[in-house]
Amino acid sequence: MATYVLGSISQLHALIVNPEPRPGLHPIPGTQPLTFVAAILPPVIYYAALLLLAPPPPPPIDSIYVKTIRNVLALVAGILFFRLPLTYHVPQSIGLTYQLGLVGLYGGCRVLDAFFISPYLFKHIPRRVQYVHKPRVHTPTLEQLGSIKEWSDGGVKEPYYHRKNNSVVDAEPTTSKTTQGDAASRTSPTQTRERRRSSLSAGISNVARRMSNSIPEAACDSYFAVQRTLHGPDPQPVLETATTESGWPRSFWDRASWALELELSMRGVGFTWTTADVRHTRKTWLPTVGNRVHSLLVHVLPVLLTSWLVIRTTYVRYLAAADDNNERQFDEALPPPAQIALTAALGAFLMAAFSLGHSLFAIALSPLAPSPLAFFPPLYSTRVWDVASVRGFWSYGWHRLFARLFLVYGVWPGEWVEWTLMGKSRDEPADVGKVLGGFLSSAFVHSFSVRSVLAGDWSSAAGEATFFALNGLAVVVEGAVVRAVRSWRRRRGCDETVWYDSWVGRVWWSAVVLGSGRHFARGWVKSGLVREIAFQ
């Protein structure tokens, strides 16, 4: 046994120190294996610069010499971040080399944003945000449900309703006939339609209640036991209040904590840089450790393993015997159904992998609560099957870890271009420029990263760029079609939305993401990422 362990350790050590690229990895010519010093130096220097970013106190921070040192440190950190994927690769892994490209580009852009773009162009240095979570009742009445605007929850439905202890909350508001008559005389057609929908929902609830009463109690108990098992422990329903601090860190340790929190917060959680998916609503759910563990075991790991099996089976059956240097390997080796299956499996695998990492970090750092380092808002704010548009998928169905990067380097420039070309004022919306700018910046970031495993060839890295560009165009077209259809319905005196709109939207966004996702999957097959995921 001891011999086997020592042998395994020896093999692992040999693998780590082996400078030869693994099979399937094609690093940029001239790059060298990543060293520990090269990997650790950029974030350390970035942190040192962040210690000097917040304004005083103490008063010596407000010195031209200190600001100069801070900016020099920031420039050095930014250059070292950008240099990572251009100078180094990880010979043991295609995926880690790809991640090195993301880390280098993201880190460099974040440094420029924090020290130069935001402070000098927008006069803004991120301030801390204090979150206060107060318990709330998690099962609203029908009347309360009717008053909740869809946008107030970022398109998120209350996800944790299920019957407990065989009790059902009855909530049938009662009003006098006079009040109803007066209200009806002042009700607009839209309000009338909303009232009909509310009445319909109440009727459906009553029918469901009568049906449940006719089902044997043992069957009901079994059903709700299974339901509780699948749902697991509920996150704590809370009302979230976010308050921006008026001052800045005072002591050295407070400043050190401020700098560390800002460096580690990709979505700006705990700061005024907070991305839209985190600040979308005051009414939210605070996942507990038990809830996260249950989610990992019941939801995340099954999806991760199932999608991995599809990826591995597809690779072994169709791609293993194909020529890795064949540019058309994806199209020639895979029949169309297998292409779609691989694309869907890669998407599910990535979603589950992000969720796994997010939850594991949240569980590991939970003892630090109430520190902002222990605050991990949900990574996905809407279930995939509730998404009904391409815009909805990218806004709520996918993670927003790079949202700040795309905002600063894509959305804002895109808005400026539309304002300039169309002669619009700064108060007018620039949705087309905003959308295209965000998706084009994402296209560049992902193509820059994947080229690092494709010998630096930009043309071979065009698959991911095409995927994100097509999705940006789809969002623009989708918005134009929705506005045209609603306008046509209004002119005819009809409801702006009808019952089948969401189903049409589901078919539409699924077709767009899976159809354009073939470009993404083609790039991952060409780069060898699919091969590494399949453990080949």
Side-chain angles (χ1 to χ4, degrees):
M1 182 64 181
T3 304
Y4 174 78
V5 172
L6 291 175
S8 300
I9 294 176
S10 177
Q11 292 178 0
L12 180 62
H13 179 265
L15 176 64
I16 293 175
V17 300
N18 183 13
E20 292 298 319
R22 63 145 288 167
L25 172 60
H26 304 286
I28 299 175
T31 58
Q32 55 186 310
L34 180 66
T35 63
F36 176 78
V37 174
I40 202 67
L41 209 54
V44 168
I45 297 177
Y46 175 33
Y47 178 73
L50 283 173
L51 288 173
L52 305 175
L53 178 61
I61 294 295
D62 198 22
S63 163
I64 185 64
Y65 302 106
V66 173
K67 290 181 179 179
T68 301
I69 294 173
R70 177 195 73 190
N71 289 343
V72 169
L73 288 173
L75 278 175
V76 171
I79 292 172
L80 291 178
F81 269 118
F82 286 129
R83 186 171 175 264
L84 277 177
L86 300 176
T87 307
Y88 300 98
H89 64 270
V90 183
Q92 298 82 12
S93 172
I94 301 172
L96 290 180
T97 302
Y98 176 88
Q99 290 291 326
L100 190 66
L102 287 176
V103 169
L105 190 57
Y106 173 85
C109 290
R110 185 64 171 246
V111 170
L112 292 180
D113 181 17
F115 289 91
F116 302 102
I117 296 177
S118 289
Y120 292 107
L121 293 184
F122 301 102
K123 307 299 181 183
H124 175 72
I125 294 176
R127 288 183 179 271
R128 264 192 181 133
V129 174
Q130 296 292 340
Y131 296 97
V132 177
H133 297 102
K134 296 182 179 179
R136 64 177 173 88
V137 178
H138 73 287
T139 308
T141 63
L142 292 174
E143 185 178 23
Q144 290 171 330
L145 280 174
S147 66
I148 296 174
K149 296 181 177 64
E150 182 179 355
W151 56 262
S152 69
D153 290 322
V156 184
K157 295 180 180 178
E158 292 280 19
Y160 299 106
Y161 294 157
H162 52 272
R163 182 174 170 180
K164 291 185 176 180
N165 300 327
N166 297 327
S167 63
V168 178
V169 176
D170 293 327
E172 299 181 4
T174 57
T175 54
S176 66
K177 293 182 179 179
T178 303
T179 303
Q180 289 177 346
D182 293 340
S185 65
R186 297 190 299 270
T187 301
S188 66
T190 302
Q191 291 172 325
T192 302
R193 289 193 294 269
E194 293 297 330
R195 181 173 297 171
R196 288 171 183 167
R197 293 193 189 100
S198 179
S199 300
L200 179 60
S201 298
I204 293 174
S205 298
N206 290 332
V207 171
R209 190 178 300 117
R210 288 195 298 268
M211 291 178 63
S212 66
N213 290 336
S214 64
I215 299 175
E217 192 67 21
C220 281
D221 291 342
S222 300
Y223 169 76
F224 287 114
V226 172
Q227 191 180 40
R228 283 192 296 272
T229 301
L230 293 177
H231 279 284
D234 284 351
Q236 180 186 358
V238 294
L239 283 175
E240 179 181 289
T241 302
T243 306
T244 304
E245 285 187 349
S246 58
W248 298 98
R250 294 185 174 275
S251 66
F252 172 79
W253 292 113
D254 193 21
R255 182 174 288 268
S257 177
W258 182 92
L260 181 63
E261 292 164 14
L262 183 58
E263 182 172 21
L264 296 179
S265 180
M266 288 187 69
R267 292 188 288 171
V269 177
F271 291 88
T272 49
W273 269 3
T274 306
T275 53
D277 62 314
V278 176
R279 65 173 185 265
H280 69 273
T281 177
R282 288 185 64 246
K283 186 182 62 179
T284 186
W285 300 84
L286 203 59
T288 63
V289 171
N291 174 259
R292 293 189 189 277
V293 172
H294 178 274
S295 178
L296 287 178
L297 296 177
V298 177
H299 302 293
V300 175
L301 289 179
V303 172
L304 191 69
L305 292 175
T306 301
S307 56
W308 176 79
L309 283 173
V310 173
I311 294 170
R312 177 176 171 81
T313 301
T314 303
Y315 183 86
V316 171
R317 182 174 180 180
Y318 297 104
L319 299 172
D323 182 8
D324 288 340
N325 297 319
N326 183 3
E327 291 289 324
R328 298 186 54 81
Q329 180 185 9
F330 178 84
D331 301 281
E332 294 178 356
L334 292 176
Q339 294 179 15
I340 298 298
L342 178 61
T343 302
L346 283 173
F349 182 85
L350 289 175
M351 289 190 74
F354 279 120
S355 185
L356 176 65
H358 179 266
S359 296
L360 289 178
F361 274 106
I363 293 170
L365 297 178
S366 60
L368 299 179
S371 167
L373 295 175
F375 183 38
F376 282 75
L379 195 58
Y380 307 109
S381 53
T382 298
R383 292 187 176 96
V384 171
W385 50 84
D386 288 329
V387 173
S389 65
V390 179
R391 180 187 285 268
F393 173 77
W394 290 111
S395 297
Y396 307 115
W398 194 250
H399 73 81
R400 310 260 295 185
L401 296 175
F402 294 92
R404 175 74 188 182
L405 172 65
F406 300 150
L407 174 69
V408 175
Y409 298 96
V411 172
W412 288 346
E415 288 181 319
W416 179 84
V417 169
E418 182 174 346
W419 286 329
T420 303
L421 293 181
M422 304 302 295
K424 293 182 175 181
S425 68
R426 295 299 184 266
D427 297 330
E428 294 182 89
D431 192 62
V432 174
K434 177 174 67 175
V435 169
L436 293 182
F439 276 96
L440 289 178
S441 63
S442 178
F444 174 78
V445 167
H446 288 84
S447 294
F448 178 85
S449 301
V450 79
R451 71 179 282 273
S452 62
V453 297
L454 288 168
D457 184 10
W458 281 104
S459 61
S460 297
E464 293 195 39
T466 304
F467 168 69
F468 286 105
L470 287 176
N471 275 264
L473 290 174
V475 171
V476 173
V477 171
E478 173 185 271
V481 171
V482 168
R483 288 191 296 272
V485 170
R486 290 181 177 178
S487 176
W488 178 78
R489 287 172 177 172
R490 281 198 304 272
R491 290 196 302 270
R492 293 174 59 88
C494 303
D495 290 347
E496 288 189 14
T497 58
V498 294
W499 65 268
Y500 55 78
D501 284 352
S502 61
W503 293 103
V504 173
R506 288 180 175 91
V507 173
W508 156 250
W509 83 258
S510 300
V512 168
V513 172
L514 288 178
S516 61
R518 292 170 62 249
H519 295 284
F520 187 95
R522 183 182 293 110
W524 275 45
V525 169
K526 188 185 303 183
S527 65
L529 287 164
V530 170
R531 173 180 180 172
E532 184 163 285
I533 293 174
F535 294 157
Q536 295 295 305

